[in-house]
Amino acid sequence: MDASVTPIPDKPGTSLAQTTDFFYPLVDDPYMQGRIACANVLSDLYAMGVVSCHNMLMLLAVSKDMTDAERDVVIPLIMRGFQDTAQEAGCLVTGGQTVINPWVTVGGVASTVCSDGDIIMPEGAVAGDVLLLTKALGTQVAVNAHQWMEEEGDRWNKIKDMTNVEEVKAAYRETTLSMARLNLTGAKLMHKYQARAATDVTGFGILGHAKNLAENQIKPVSFTIHTLPIITNMVKIARGVGNMFQLMQGYSAETSGGLLMAISKEGAEGFIKEIKELEDCDAWIIGSVEEGTRTAKIVDNPTIIEV
């Protein structure tokens, strides 16, 4: 499961849902990095259908190599971004821990008390369901391409003939906004349209998380992914550096990625329409659920949707 769910003694039907995560900065803007870190932590609750978070703690490591001037500018901006996103989620940041580290890391702990009906256990997929995804893939490729562009080193030399600065910057902007967007609306719609199992797509890539989700199902089903929505121009960049990202194989890491869920086809259609109306953001049917042996695969030559 994406979050820990602990029944509260002497409180029947009530549980404590908690999750934690942290990582090093991915983007240049410290404020946006704080927003991304907060959204990433909360996403594990949202993947379980938990839409209300009561409390967050912030985990922050300050680099020992920062000057006082750098620290006094960067760290408050990270903290403000984290706090603003928590407030957007309707959550309080009540404390945390700050340490000195060789490099900056940022993350947090999210906790909430919820009833059994607030949680969608990731285990109810049935044959005939479809797989739905709420954010495009390719964030790792976009972030790395932007770093290579700024460094102007060997890796930029490998890809500069197949892309350009404008394409890389556009993908980086799209990626930053995607990573900072809460999966809150998606979690609410999971309840409305009766999603039967879900996870969020992060470090193991789309196929890695699909496999983990399939293994957890009560019924003997398998997942087949036939469509990959990918940030524009990231496929050619990933191919330009060999197989280091494994984007097309489904193992490229994502940060604060979308919700991947098993849901009825009718539910998926309603979900896709409503999330577009509410957030002006797309979601896609990317696969199917069939009777099987609790595994997942990507078909040969999947359909690529550039986003």
Side-chain angles (χ1 to χ4, degrees):
M1 295 193 297
D2 289 288
S4 166
V5 178
T6 306
I8 298 176
D10 304 321
K11 299 286 185 182
T14 305
S15 295
L16 174 67
Q18 288 185 303
T19 187
T20 185
D21 203 352
F22 61 91
F23 51 84
Y24 56 85
L26 300 169
V27 297
D28 295 337
D29 184 331
Y31 176 79
M32 291 303 295
Q33 181 58 50
R35 291 191 69 97
I36 292 165
C38 185
N40 188 62
V41 174
L42 288 168
S43 188
D44 286 334
L45 291 182
Y46 298 149
M48 300 283 293
V50 177
V51 300
S52 296
C53 178
H54 296 135
N55 181 70
M56 292 193 78
L57 304 175
M58 186 175 184
L59 304 176
L60 182 62
V62 181
S63 173
K64 64 181 178 58
D65 296 325
M66 278 183 164
T67 66
D68 290 348
E70 289 170 336
R71 180 197 63 212
D72 291 346
V73 171
V74 170
I75 299 305
L77 285 170
I78 292 176
M79 295 176 70
R80 189 194 307 167
F82 193 97
Q83 178 73 48
D84 285 354
T85 301
Q87 289 180 349
E88 182 183 334
C91 182
L92 295 174
V93 181
T94 61
Q97 178 75 351
T98 304
V99 299
I100 301 296
N101 199 47
W103 52 86
V104 173
T105 57
V106 56
V109 180
S111 305
T112 194
V113 176
C114 53
S115 64
D116 291 346
D118 297 330
I119 301 169
I120 299 174
M121 296 299 288
E123 59 189 19
V126 298
D129 282 350
V130 297
L131 300 176
L132 184 147
L133 180 67
T134 65
K135 290 185 183 180
L137 307 170
T139 58
Q140 184 187 48
V141 182
V143 167
N144 278 273
H146 187 263
Q147 181 178 342
W148 300 340
M149 179 194 72
E150 291 185 326
E151 293 172 348
E152 297 184 333
D154 291 342
R155 284 179 173 164
W156 176 246
N157 290 334
K158 284 185 177 180
I159 65 171
K160 67 181 183 181
D161 291 336
M162 66 185 67
T163 187
N164 56 57
V165 170
E166 289 73 22
E167 289 181 351
V168 171
K169 286 184 175 180
Y172 179 74
R173 285 192 298 271
E174 178 67 26
T175 293
T176 300
L177 294 173
S178 175
M179 293 189 296
R181 177 164 65 95
L182 290 169
N183 280 323
L184 177 55
T185 299
K188 291 177 179 178
L189 294 178
M190 280 168 53
H191 285 277
K192 181 173 181 178
Y193 293 102
Q194 300 181 334
R196 288 189 255 262
T199 187
D200 62 332
V201 181
T202 52
F204 297 119
I206 184 68
L207 184 57
H209 286 283
K211 286 183 175 180
N212 289 341
L213 189 61
E215 289 171 0
N216 198 55
Q217 299 312 299
I218 294 173
K219 293 186 177 180
V221 295
S222 291
F223 299 162
T224 299
I225 297 171
H226 54 62
T227 300
L228 296 174
I230 297 176
I231 296 165
T232 300
N233 296 311
M234 294 306 98
V235 172
K236 68 179 181 181
I237 289 176
R239 287 172 172 162
V241 291
N243 200 34
M244 66 178 293
F245 293 112
Q246 293 190 291
L247 178 63
M248 300 300 293
Q249 290 80 18
Y251 292 112
S252 183
E254 307 292 334
T255 298
S256 190
L259 298 174
L260 171 67
M261 68 192 72
I263 188 171
S264 70
K265 189 172 189 302
E266 296 77 13
E269 290 169 350
F271 187 113
I272 290 168
K273 180 181 178 181
E274 188 160 352
I275 201 169
K276 183 68 172 179
E277 292 171 351
L278 294 174
E279 294 192 323
D280 194 27
C281 292
D282 291 315
W284 307 267
I285 293 173
I286 67 162
S288 57
V289 180
E290 304 107 15
E291 293 184 1
T293 56
R294 298 185 181 89
T295 188
K297 66 178 181 180
I298 298 177
V299 300
D300 294 336
N301 301 313
T303 300
I304 304 300
I305 301 174
E306 287 209 313
V307 179

